[in-house]
Each structure stands twice: as structure tokens, then as C-alpha cells.
């Protein structure tokens, strides 16, 4: 994870409770529950067919869940909440022979937003300089930025994006990533569906991992997609164990969990931790390596 909004609060902006959805015999979502914290960039991560688009469709009132509920802004009426949410589920149809400026005029009129918002939005998505060029002359990245710009009309507090980097080249992907970070810094909570671990890891603060309609894990990206080696250790005198480990180089972080200490290590082997403890008069009663790369963890979770 690289970006973390300065507006990150723990308050939930969206709460999803036990949501299920079937298409005939196909169970697309199976009792999904999680909260999206205000100020987060929240990734809904999962392979194709895991139910991401269905979930976004439900929270945007485009699809109806068979079971469960969801609530925006602490129980605000859905019609009122929708006015505070910008979304991009499918690529909008822009007129190829019109400029970004004129295309947004049409979008603003359809959505009943004032025209004055256009320039703010074009600046926000970095299209001010090209706003009068025809849409057909834009790169794919610029087209996608315009689509996000259209979703930003009306100054929504939340932006919901389905696979926003699909089909883009690395430069276009980087542009969208930067834009998402910038919008988040402006205080917008962003929910992104993606099948790309890399994208979620680089831009999201929080993640929910779906597999075949089931929620596998959710929480801060740092916790859920931990890439470093983790060691679990335990000894009779836990306070002394912690003091001793604080002195060991290679131990980057120590976190008490479930009556043990969880160590985040770099460049040291478990036996070295054991030796260090022995030398300092501590006999470990438990020592377990939890070694996983991000990729292997994701594959293991979703495969
Ligand atoms: P992708 O990344 O491929 O879009 P996804 O994670 O967004 O996948 P969904 O599109 O929500 O997943 O699909 C979840 C499951 O529901 C899949 O098995 C899909 O085939 C099925 N599904 C989605 N929409 C429909 C529909 N309209 N009718 C029947 N089945 C559907």
C-alpha cells in the first residue's frame, strides 16, 4: 500500500450486511458483510466471476439483492445517498466528435447538475488543457479520466469504480492510479472493484477479497495482504521476550496477538530468532514461520 488518505477516519460510510444475490441457479453473492471506512480507498478484489460487479450494482441500487441490507452514510435514505455517490460501472457513451467540455455539458444536463461544475471537474481529472479537443483524439487513459470526471459532477463524497484500469496501457494505468490518490486526498472515499492484486496493493487502503461470491477476508490492506515474513513466538515471560526482541536487528515490528508475539522480520531466519532468545536467557515455547508472498497468498485465497 502506498497511499493513505489524510482524511482516514474509522467511521463507516457504507455498511453491507449479509447481502446475497442469485441469478437463477447461479449464486453470485453469498451473505457478504463488511464496512467501508470514510476516507478510505476500498478495493473489492477477486478473480473474474467472483461477484464484484454484482456487489457494486447492488450498493448502487442498479440490482436488487435477494437477501441482506446495506446502508450509506449511517442510514441515510437511498435516494438522498445516491446524490452523494458518483459511479462508473460501465464506460459511458461520449460523443466522439464533441470535446470533453461539450460532452460534460450533456452529461451535466442529463444528471441535472449545474454547468459551473464542469471546469472544476476537468481540472480535477487533468483535462483542462485538452478540454476543447474532440473526444476521438484522446488516449484511452484520457477517455477514462473523462469518464471519472463525469462521475465527479455534483461533487460526490464517494466514488464507486468498476475495474477503472481495464484495457489501459501501463501509462494509462499509472494516470488513473494517480488520479485516484489525488481524489482521495481531496477527501473522496473511493470503492474500486478490481481483479488485479497489484492495483489494489498500490492504491487501496482497505480491501475485501471475494471468491465465488464469498467474502474471504477484509480489512486494512496492510493487515490483509501482508507480504512480509511473519513469525509467531511465545515464551513464559512475554514482557521479557518482547524486550529482548526489540534489541534484535531484522525484527521490524512486534505485535501482541492471541497470547503470542507476531514479528515482522526482514533478512533473518527463525533459527536466528531462536538463538537470539536463547543467548538472552529465554526459551521459546512456540516458534512458527508464516511466510507468504502477496501473490501466493492471493492465489491461495482465490484459487
Ligand atoms: P468480472 O470481473 O468477470 O466482471 P465479477 O467478479 O464482477 O466478474 P460478476 O460479474 O458479479 O463477477 O458475476 C458473478 C457471477 O454471476 C458470475 O458467475 C457471473 O457469470 C454471474 N452473473 C453475473 N451477471 C449475470 C446475469 N445477468 N445473469 C446470469 N448470471 C450472471
Amino acid at each position: 500500500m502506498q497511499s493513505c488518505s489524510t482524511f482516514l477516519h474509522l467511521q463507516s460510510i457504507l455498511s453491507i450486511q449479509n447481502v446475497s444475490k442469485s441469478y437463477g441457479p447461479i449464486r453470485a453473492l453469498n451473505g457478504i458483510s463488511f464496512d467501508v471506512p470514510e476516507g478510505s480507498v476500498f478495493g473489492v478484489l477477486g478473480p473474474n466471476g467472483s461477484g464484484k460487479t454484482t456487489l457494486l450494482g447492488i450498493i448502487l441500487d442498479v440490482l436488487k439483492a435477494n437477501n441482506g441490507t446495506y446502508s450509506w452514510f449511517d442510514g441515510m435514505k437511498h435516494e438522498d445517498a445516491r446524490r452523494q455517490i458518483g459511479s462508473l460501472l460501465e464506460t459511458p457513451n461520449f460523443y466522439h466528435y464533441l470535446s470533453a467540455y461539450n460532452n460534460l455539458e450533456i452529461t451535466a444536463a442529463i444528471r441535472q447538475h449545474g454547468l459551473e461544475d464542469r471546469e472544476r471537474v476537468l481540472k480535477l481529472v487533468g483535462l483542462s488543457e485538452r478540454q476543447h479537443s474532440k473526444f476521438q483524439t484522446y488516449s484511452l487513459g484520457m477517455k477514462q479520466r473523462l469518464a471519472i470526471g463525469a462521475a465527479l459532477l455534483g461533487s460526490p463524497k464517494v466514488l464507486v469504480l468498476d475495474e477503472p484500469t481495464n484495457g489501459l496501457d501501463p501509462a494509462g494505468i499509472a494516470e488513473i492510479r494517480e488520479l485516484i490518490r489525488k481524489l482521495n486526498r481531496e477527501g473522496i472515499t473511493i470503492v474500486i472493484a478490481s481483479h488485479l492484486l497489484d492495483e489494489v496493493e498500490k492504491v487501496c487502503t482497505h480491501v475485501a477479497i471475494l471468491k465465488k461470491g464469498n467474502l474471504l477476508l477484509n480489512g486494512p490492506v496492510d493487515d490483509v495482504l501482508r507480504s512480509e515474513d511473519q513469525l509467531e513466538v511465545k515464551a513464559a515471560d512475554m514482557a521479557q521476550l518482547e524486550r529482548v526482541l526489540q534489541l534484535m536487528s531484522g525484527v521490524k515490528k512486534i505485535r501482541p496477538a492471541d497470547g503470542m508475539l507476531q514479528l515482522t522480520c526482514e533478512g533473518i531466519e527463525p533459527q536466528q530468532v531462536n538463538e537470539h532468545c536463547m543467548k538472552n536467557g529465554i526459551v521459546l515455547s512456540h516458534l512458527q514461520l508464516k511466510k507468504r508472498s502477496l501473490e501466493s497468498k492471493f492465489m491461495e485465497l482465490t484459487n
Side-chain angles (χ1 to χ4, degrees):
M1 185 192 77
Q2 305 217 326
S3 87
C4 194
S5 165
T6 48
F7 294 86
L8 204 60
H9 308 298
L10 288 177
Q11 202 181 335
S12 158
I13 211 163
L14 166 66
S15 183
I16 298 172
Q17 303 287 338
N18 205 24
V19 163
S20 297
K21 169 80 181 169
S22 296
Y23 299 99
I26 299 165
R27 188 84 163 156
L29 293 173
N30 194 13
I32 303 296
S33 303
F34 61 81
D35 279 24
V36 174
E38 184 178 9
S40 59
V41 180
F42 196 102
V44 179
L45 177 66
N48 289 341
S50 54
K52 306 179 296 293
T53 304
T54 300
L55 185 62
L56 296 197
I58 288 171
I59 61 171
L60 291 170
D61 278 338
V62 176
L63 289 171
K64 205 163 162 28
N66 299 116
N67 278 306
T69 56
Y70 64 92
S71 141
W72 285 101
F73 308 109
D74 210 11
M76 189 185 278
K77 274 168 65 184
H78 282 192
E79 310 87 90
D80 297 335
R82 273 304 278 130
R83 278 192 276 278
Q84 316 234 27
I85 304 164
S87 62
L88 184 57
L89 283 195
E90 289 170 0
T91 310
N93 289 322
F94 290 117
Y95 291 97
H96 285 231
Y97 54 88
L98 292 181
S99 64
Y101 193 79
N102 289 331
N103 266 301
L104 283 193
E105 179 177 353
I106 295 168
T107 313
I110 293 170
R111 299 199 194 149
Q112 299 177 342
H113 294 303
L115 282 181
E116 65 287 347
D117 208 20
R118 240 185 325 181
E119 291 187 12
R120 177 191 71 86
V121 155
L122 285 165
K123 189 162 177 238
L124 207 50
V125 299
L127 286 176
S128 293
E129 280 180 20
R130 292 287 305 279
Q131 62 181 309
H132 297 300
S133 306
K134 284 183 183 170
F135 179 78
Q136 65 197 16
T137 67
Y138 289 179
S139 68
L140 280 179
M142 290 166 76
K143 287 176 179 169
Q144 187 65 339
R145 280 190 280 140
L146 180 61
I148 294 176
L152 287 168
L153 288 167
S155 302
K157 286 188 180 156
V158 183
L159 202 53
V160 179
L161 307 171
D162 193 4
E163 305 270 4
T165 58
N166 251 7
L168 299 184
D169 64 11
I173 291 173
E175 277 174 22
I176 298 299
R177 192 181 292 148
E178 264 321 298
L179 176 58
I180 288 169
R181 289 192 185 124
K182 179 172 153 192
L183 296 173
N184 185 237
R185 282 197 300 273
E186 303 255 329
I188 300 176
T189 303
I190 301 173
V191 181
I192 310 174
S194 177
H195 66 280
L196 302 171
L197 172 68
D198 183 55
E199 179 168 286
V200 167
E201 191 205 352
K202 284 188 170 137
V203 87
C204 294
T205 58
H206 292 70
V207 65
I209 302 181
L210 296 184
K211 177 190 177 184
K212 292 185 184 164
N214 294 303
L215 177 68
L216 298 182
L217 281 170
N218 81 99
V221 166
D222 266 358
D223 290 353
V224 173
L225 297 176
R226 197 182 293 281
S227 62
E228 294 136 316
D229 292 358
Q230 291 267 303
L231 260 187
E232 275 179 4
V233 289
K234 196 174 174 183
D237 187 342
M238 293 296 280
Q240 180 61 7
L241 174 62
E242 186 162 359
R243 277 192 290 278
V244 161
L245 288 170
Q246 276 164 353
L247 300 173
M248 186 174 188
S249 61
V251 176
K252 285 171 60 188
K253 205 154 105 188
I254 303 175
R255 199 165 67 118
D258 303 322
M260 290 181 272
L261 293 180
Q262 254 180 22
L263 314 181
T264 304
C265 301
E266 197 175 70
I268 50 170
E269 297 297 319
Q271 58 269 31
Q272 291 172 277
V273 174
N274 200 8
E275 279 166 21
H276 176 82
C277 291
M278 289 289 253
K279 270 189 208 152
N280 287 279
I282 289 184
V283 178
L284 293 177
S285 57
H286 175 89
L287 171 68
Q288 191 181 1
L289 175 65
K290 303 207 157 178
K291 192 184 178 95
R292 278 173 176 178
S293 76
L294 214 55
E295 197 70 40
S296 68
K297 181 166 181 183
F298 181 56
M299 293 301 282
E300 184 187 312
L301 284 169
T302 56
N303 228 345

